[in-house]
Amino acid sequence: MAPSVATPPPERPQAAPPQGKAPTKAVEGSSTWSMLDRIGLAFCWALGLLFCAIAVAIVVYLFLQGVKFLKLDQLTTPAATGFSETETGGFSDALIGTIIVAVMGISLALPVGIAIAVWLVEYGRPAPLARVTELTIEAIAGIPSIVLALFGTVIFSSTALGFLSRSNEGVVFGRSFFAAAAMLSLVALPLVVASTRQGLESIPRHVREASYAVGKTKAATIRRILLPTARPQVATGMILGLGRIIGDTAIILVLLGATQNFAPVEGAVFPFDYLRGAGTTLTNFVYEASPTGNLNQPQKAYAAAFVLLLMVLGLNAAADLVHRRARKAGTWSH
Amino acid sequence: MEEELQPEYGPKWSDQRVERMLGALVIFVVGLLLAMIAVVLIRAWPSFAHNGLAWFGPGGDVDDELNAISLSGQNGTEYVWTFHAWPLIWSTILITGGAVICGLVSALFVSVFIVEFAPTWMSNVLQPVVRFLASVPSVIYGLLGVLVLVPFIGNQLITEPQKASVAGVISLTGYSLLAAVLVLTVMIAPLMVSIFTDGLRAVKPGWVEGSLALGVNRWRTTWKIAVRAARPAIVAGTVLAVARAIGESVMLAMLSGSVGFAPNPADGLIFIYEPSRPLAPTIVKNVDQLSSKPANATLFAIAAVLLFSAAFCSFAGWMARRAMRKYGAA
Amino acid sequence: MEPLSAPPPIRRLDPQDPIPAREVVLGVPTNGNGAAGAPAAGGFTAAKRSIAAPQFSIRRMEVDKVSIHYGAKEAVKGVSLPIRQGEVLALIGPSGCGKTTLLRSLNRLTELTAAARLTGSIRLDDVDIRLIEPTLLRRRVTMVFQQPNPFPMSVFDNIAYVLREQGSRRTKKKVLAPQVHSALQRAGLFEEVKDNLDHPALKLSGGQQQRLCIARALAAEPEVLLLDEPCSALDPQSTAVIEDLIVKLRDDVAVVIVTHNLQQAYRIADHVAFMYLGDLVEYNSATRLFNAPAQERTREYVSGAFG
Ligand SMILES: Nc1ncnc2c1ncn2[C@@H]1O[C@H](COP(=O)(O)OP(=O)(O)OP(=O)(O)O)[C@@H](O)[C@H]1O
Ligand SMILES: [Mg+2]
């Protein structure tokens, strides 16, 4: 081979600029990509911006409608029958109903979910049962809530559970806050389990061993050390679950009754008279007040939807807060 | 029976006791699921038994059939069972399929964007946006659809000649496949995005670096290596989205048009403006009829179909993920 | 599609860089300068250099006062060295001294680490690599990693991936097969996998995976090949195959190899750079670095390792 002195071909950028001045960088840009790749990247941007635009549009639009149509007295007056939107009152019962359902549902889902997660992570014996349990939780997450609702009608109209709803001469009505909350807790359950599990699994072995080493039982370790450590994840699961509960409509429609007011059961002690009776929630109210529903009061539907959206935004903010705090507090690092 | 070892003294919450209690709870929940499947099937059985496979087929006006079934239960006359669910099933297929395809494509691009290509500020904006979109209650999507999207489709998109062309068969008002698919896409895409991004983030950096070190550009590397390696997560997210779409009832009850009509692709493009009603909203719309025995069985039969479609999706996803394991995609 | 295909290699002789005369068999003292003192390690007089002296050597890359920081930590401290086609450069040094970091900076992979910051300049054919678009640069300067990282695909697809993505339009298996086979052959893997090219690459043994990665890098037809401990997981026989390959490659490709195996560095390298705690302690011809190191540190390292 005869090495020859060659000058760099002209199409190459010339040698580095004078010393002392850092050359401007050729960052990997899309300029060298093929046309198809570049179109793809543009598509990415377009879709990303579209997502943002949809979110902004929903928030802004509902905000404007909410400000326009939401009257404060709507939050304190129950719905009434009437012919125009001015005569039909507000949706205080729906608002309270949402809160009741959320509290009841999550206070059922939380302990059960934590217990299942603890069992899966800390015990998990026999192994086949653990596998089946995982499958069960996954399956519950995949079951449409309308199917859960139908199942609820069967359970709660059985005579044995008549004390949980209105019953009339042996015929159990099967629709009550108890029934709705019980089924809604199933909606929240997989979220609580998944999140708690994740929290427990991220705790390294040596923490448990350190606790056993000082003579604590497994149960005490779980209660005093593991669960408190996993609290942020438990809280996240709870918040996600709450979001699903207050957002669900199908179960409410089927299991809480087709009324816009509380319908307490006469003769029962407070608060069981209300909890055994039918009721409504914000989602149900929005559904019924929409043009496709029975009430057809779009203005009030907007107002209620706005309140509901505020709750959802609040929950999102809470989840963010928990997440950020947990991160600030730090996790196990190796 | 061998004696169980008991500590001589122990705390109130002994480990064995706790384990047994937790185990009992777990078994209860598993039992609850089995009971639910059993109950739904038992309740549904009369409807399937009377119709046989024709249950899934076309024939007659499904709304009329439902009416007759409900009435026969209330009037105490002889029960009517005839039910041909094809229009409802077809509508479910069209709406779910459309939304899942649109959702899958957009979710893939958005999650690739968030993980690989968006500038930091953009992905910092997009992540909460996606989380927010996933948490908006379906009834709010339904309300916005009814009050904003449906009038827009009905008044702006569908032309008068189009309405006239099918006037004898069905009236086009804006409650349509298009509205249902669009809103459902917005509902399920964020769900997929959150699972896809997790999957993409978990791809071994060595694979991506290896590809970049060979001079393959970032776009190709992302799609050929990262997305490929994240396929199990993509399948998992898609399965979840399909289950959600099949089970979505309230929003679709509001937007789909609530007519037992089977949109016909042979009509040409106009078919996306045609109304229909999928399976799940049919239950919502007929909840009042639960007290009528044959109607109750029919609705439970619909629930059973939903349940099994969701289960089948999970199974198919599981099989797909197993197949992917061959080349070691994590 | 023209800009996508790799530009032809430019062979450029550096007039200031005369072709070094090199002894082929060690132990024959040819220390012309004689200043470096007596041969340091007796071990090397016994070792044979199996390769012939390079026919020519052309400077391709130039590392110029390169420092690399990870946050506050300086992993590479002001290193300058040339990388030549026609000969093999080995980087040696204790663990954590910055060899991988330096190697990664040569095709701008350090930029993927957010914390990493590079000062100084690296030039490829007298063009600052920061001016070359990374994708094009990495096509010309490819790298084989310390940890084998075959893609989660079949053996065939692992190599075909490179060919497909480098712009060849024909992506049919049949069309690519000869190139894939030859890449596998060159990396000494073909005989083991030829019966089942659809075998998942991740199910190969560690050594096979590493050879697959080398085959993949070869299929890219680079101008500069960076090898980060390519033989750490290999048995002596496959090591020999790879070493032969590297020596054969050096005329067409500038090869940089990181190795902890000093015998290996001695066997195949023409120049050796010894790094310690981020500093380039000594850059010298292999024979001189091992037999008559100019620096005390080098002598300690080289003799310590050879006992
Ligand atoms: N991504 C990173 N972030 C921070 N510091 C890093 C990173 N990668 C490497 N370092 C640090 O840079 C220094 C040099 O690392 P490098 O991997 O280059 O060493 P090496 O010479 O290749 O070692 P080995 O022979 O063990 O492979 C080490 O001290 C290491 O801690
Ligand atoms: Mg290294």
Side-chain angles (χ1 to χ4, degrees):
Chain A
M1 173 158 309
S4 62
V5 178
T7 45
E11 76 264 16
R12 284 279 174 68
Q14 271 304 317
Q19 279 185 343
K21 235 169 94 187
T24 43
K25 252 187 174 177
V27 185
E28 173 173 357
S30 47
S31 53
T32 50
W33 297 2
S34 76
M35 204 55 192
L36 211 63
D37 299 0
R38 274 190 264 174
I39 292 172
L41 185 64
F43 195 51
C44 271
W45 270 98
L47 277 171
L49 292 175
L50 180 68
F51 268 50
C52 295
I54 292 173
V56 169
I58 290 174
V59 172
V60 169
Y61 185 75
L62 273 183
F63 200 83
L64 291 179
Q65 301 292 336
V67 168
K68 197 154 64 175
F69 297 124
L70 181 64
K71 313 268 182 314
L72 279 184
D73 61 345
Q74 286 170 338
L75 299 179
T76 51
T77 41
T81 43
F83 293 104
S84 74
E85 293 218 14
T86 48
E87 290 171 33
T88 48
F91 43 81
S92 64
D93 285 358
L95 182 59
I96 298 168
T98 292
I99 294 168
I100 293 176
V101 156
V103 170
M104 285 175 75
I106 206 67
S107 47
L108 195 53
L110 202 57
V112 175
I114 292 174
I116 293 176
V118 164
W119 184 83
L120 277 173
V121 178
E122 303 298 325
Y123 297 92
R125 291 177 305 190
L129 181 60
R131 190 80 198 91
V132 168
T133 309
E134 278 175 6
L135 274 177
T136 303
I137 298 298
E138 236 173 80
I140 291 178
I143 293 176
S145 66
I146 187 73
V147 177
L148 286 177
L150 282 192
F151 176 58
T153 62
V154 178
I155 300 186
F156 288 97
S157 43
S158 66
T159 355
L161 292 178
F163 66 95
L164 290 180
S165 66
R166 182 192 301 271
S167 55
N168 207 346
E169 292 163 9
V171 178
V172 179
F173 187 52
R175 298 177 164 195
S176 69
F177 278 102
F178 282 120
M183 283 301 136
L184 283 171
S185 72
L186 282 182
V187 172
L189 187 69
L191 294 165
V192 176
V193 173
S195 198
T196 307
R197 247 186 107 173
Q198 210 184 344
L200 289 174
E201 275 166 359
S202 70
I203 303 174
R205 258 246 84 72
H206 66 78
V207 175
R208 295 176 176 81
E209 278 158 8
S211 172
Y212 302 150
V214 295
K216 296 255 192 219
T217 61
K218 201 165 185 173
T221 307
I222 291 168
R223 232 184 70 168
R224 302 259 175 244
I225 297 178
L226 301 185
L227 284 181
T229 311
R231 198 179 289 149
Q233 283 91 343
V234 176
T236 306
M238 184 182 101
I239 293 169
L240 292 178
L242 272 177
R244 287 293 297 278
I245 291 180
I246 66 169
D248 197 280
T249 321
I251 290 177
I252 301 292
L253 274 179
V254 178
L255 285 177
L256 200 50
T259 155
Q260 287 313 321
N261 294 97
F262 286 120
V265 174
E266 304 81 13
V269 283
F270 182 84
F272 296 104
D273 52 349
Y274 280 89
L275 299 185
R276 280 177 60 184
T280 182
T281 66
L282 283 174
T283 49
N284 188 12
F285 183 83
V286 172
Y287 177 70
E288 294 292 358
S290 82
T292 44
N294 297 326
L295 303 178
N296 193 5
Q297 306 169 335
Q299 300 191 352
K300 245 170 244 164
Y302 272 134
F306 176 58
V307 175
L308 193 56
L309 189 79
L310 286 184
M311 289 177 144
V312 169
L313 284 173
L315 285 177
N316 271 341
D320 256 10
L321 199 72
V322 169
H323 191 71
R324 216 168 305 147
R325 263 220 213 131
R327 203 189 286 165
K328 207 185 275 175
T331 44
W332 309 99
S333 52
H334 289 284
Chain B
M1 270 309 252
E2 62 183 292
E3 258 208 23
E4 251 187 85
L5 278 175
Q6 286 287 345
E8 275 176 48
Y9 62 93
K12 188 168 142 224
W13 296 96
S14 82
D15 280 347
Q16 282 154 344
R17 217 170 131 193
V18 170
E19 182 168 3
R20 253 183 255 141
M21 280 167 50
L22 292 179
L25 183 73
V26 164
I27 291 172
F28 172 75
V29 173
V30 173
L32 196 67
L33 178 77
L34 296 179
M36 171 152 57
I37 296 169
V39 162
V40 169
L41 283 184
I42 291 170
R43 288 283 179 127
W45 182 246
S47 180
F48 287 133
H50 283 93
N51 289 290
L53 274 183
W55 196 97
F56 299 94
D61 183 322
V62 71
D63 286 335
D64 291 347
E65 288 168 2
L66 261 175
N67 266 339
I69 291 171
S70 306
L71 280 179
S72 76
Q74 279 152 9
N75 301 344
T77 54
E78 201 179 325
Y79 291 160
V80 174
W81 292 102
T82 315
F83 187 63
H84 303 291
W86 176 248
L88 313 179
I89 296 173
W90 179 233
S91 165
T92 307
I93 293 172
L94 284 178
I95 291 178
T96 303
V100 168
I101 290 170
C102 297
L104 179 62
V105 171
S106 50
L108 258 182
F109 275 85
V110 168
S111 41
V112 159
F113 187 52
I114 290 177
V115 176
E116 293 286 341
F117 295 102
T120 322
W121 63 268
M122 185 71 186
S123 51
N124 284 347
V125 169
L126 263 175
Q127 275 163 310
V129 158
V130 166
R131 237 176 300 139
F132 166 75
L133 286 177
S135 65
V136 172
S138 58
V139 73
I140 290 187
Y141 280 120
L143 182 73
L144 291 173
V146 166
L147 290 172
V148 181
L149 188 61
V150 165
F152 174 75
I153 293 176
N155 302 331
Q156 315 288 323
L157 287 188
I158 312 178
T159 58
E160 286 306 322
Q162 281 175 329
K163 284 182 188 171
S165 70
V166 287
V169 190
I170 193 92
S171 71
L172 303 181
T173 52
Y175 292 98
S176 55
L177 280 184
L178 182 64
V181 167
L182 284 183
V183 177
L184 194 55
T185 303
V186 175
M187 283 179 64
I188 62 175
L191 210 71
M192 293 198 252
V193 171
S194 59
I195 296 172
F196 292 179
T197 46
D198 286 350
L200 285 173
R201 290 214 173 89
V203 171
K204 252 176 52 177
W207 289 337
V208 173
E209 269 184 7
S211 172
L212 290 176
L214 294 167
V216 178
N217 72 33
R218 281 212 309 149
W219 180 259
R220 297 301 197 96
T221 296
T222 304
W223 287 92
K224 293 282 164 83
I225 301 294
V227 171
R228 207 186 137 97
R231 278 181 314 175
I234 290 167
V235 170
T238 308
V239 163
L240 206 70
V242 173
R244 187 66 72 78
I246 291 177
E248 178 51 48
S249 49
V250 168
M251 185 280 286
L252 291 179
M254 295 166 87
L255 293 187
S256 64
S258 258
V259 201
F261 175 78
N264 187 357
D267 293 351
L269 202 62
I270 201 177
F271 103 100
I272 63 170
Y273 297 133
E274 289 173 351
S276 64
R277 190 184 58 230
L279 289 165
T282 303
I283 302 180
V284 169
K285 287 283 177 185
N286 291 282
V287 158
D288 306 341
Q289 312 299 336
L290 274 176
S291 53
S292 149
K293 200 156 176 259
N296 188 299
T298 309
L299 295 184
F300 269 92
I302 294 176
V305 172
L306 292 179
L307 201 57
F308 273 82
S309 320
F312 178 76
C313 281
S314 305
F315 181 71
W318 181 75
M319 291 290 286
R321 271 181 288 173
R322 252 174 81 93
M324 279 168 202
R325 230 176 280 158
K326 181 176 173 202
Y327 289 110
Chain C
M1 292 298 101
E2 264 326 294
L4 285 181
S5 57
I10 301 155
R11 311 203 150 174
R12 184 163 176 281
L13 187 70
D14 197 323
Q16 288 106 49
D17 209 43
I19 299 165
R22 201 78 48 89
E23 51 289 293
V24 177
V25 179
L26 248 234
V28 183
T30 48
N31 287 339
N33 304 337
F44 280 100
T45 43
K48 292 252 172 166
R49 275 171 68 74
S50 51
I51 56 165
Q55 301 294 308
F56 63 92
S57 108
I58 310 157
R59 177 139 49 154
R60 296 304 304 274
M61 288 188 89
E62 179 80 51
V63 178
D64 191 3
K65 299 196 197 77
V66 164
S67 301
I68 300 164
H69 294 256
Y70 288 111
K73 185 185 162 60
E74 192 171 19
V76 174
K77 302 171 184 164
V79 170
S80 304
L81 44 80
I83 294 165
R84 299 193 188 86
Q85 182 174 327
E87 54 173 55
V88 174
L89 169 66
L91 288 180
I92 60 171
S95 189
C97 67
K99 305 180 297 290
T100 300
T101 306
L102 178 64
L103 208 62
R104 284 166 62 92
S105 70
L106 294 179
N107 65 355
R108 294 180 61 176
L109 280 176
T110 29
E111 287 168 21
L112 301 180
T113 314
R117 204 158 35 80
L118 183 143
T119 54
S121 71
I122 301 171
R123 290 188 293 276
L124 172 61
D125 294 332
D126 280 347
V127 177
D128 193 304
I129 59 167
R130 280 167 294 188
L131 296 176
I132 307 175
E133 203 273 338
T135 311
L136 297 181
L137 173 69
R138 288 173 196 150
R139 252 177 228 188
R140 299 169 62 189
V141 184
T142 63
M143 174 156 176
V144 174
F145 293 79
Q146 194 164 1
Q147 309 284 336
N149 57 352
F151 302 133
M153 316 168 175
S154 70
V155 171
F156 186 94
D157 285 338
N158 256 277
I159 293 171
Y161 173 77
V162 183
L163 303 170
R164 287 186 181 128
E165 293 307 318
Q166 291 215 340
S168 56
R169 287 262 143 237
R170 308 297 306 272
T171 55
K172 286 244 181 60
K173 246 185 157 167
K174 277 232 179 70
V175 180
L176 294 176
Q179 280 168 281
V180 172
H181 292 181
S182 95
L184 285 171
Q185 253 151 3
R186 290 209 281 168
L189 186 61
F190 187 65
E191 289 304 313
E192 287 155 66
V193 298
K194 66 178 177 204
D195 298 326
N196 192 3
L197 287 174
D198 280 336
H199 193 68
L202 288 179
K203 299 219 172 103
L204 295 175
S205 77
Q208 287 172 325
Q209 289 189 7
Q210 189 61 288
R211 277 178 285 158
L212 179 63
C213 292
I214 293 173
R216 204 170 64 184
L218 291 177
E221 309 248 315
E223 296 167 46
V224 180
L225 181 61
L226 312 174
L227 301 161
D228 196 351
E229 293 182 38
C231 301
S232 56
L234 300 189
D235 61 305
Q237 204 173 347
S238 356
T239 303
V241 172
I242 298 299
E243 287 181 3
D244 276 354
L245 170 75
I246 291 170
V247 173
K248 261 185 236 146
L249 277 174
R250 69 179 177 178
D251 282 350
D252 303 318
V253 180
V255 182
V256 184
I257 175 171
V258 170
T259 177
H260 280 297
N261 181 342
L262 300 186
Q263 310 272 13
Q264 181 177 53
Y266 185 64
R267 279 196 297 269
I268 60 173
D270 303 291
H271 272 98
V272 179
F274 169 60
M275 290 181 71
Y276 185 77
L277 293 179
D279 286 310
L280 176 64
V281 177
E282 181 167 353
Y283 169 80
N284 217 332
S285 76
T287 43
R288 238 174 263 153
L289 189 130
F290 283 113
N291 291 306
Q295 300 289 330
E296 187 60 16
R297 279 225 173 282
T298 319
R299 204 184 58 76
E300 276 169 21
Y301 183 69
V302 170
S303 61
F306 281 84

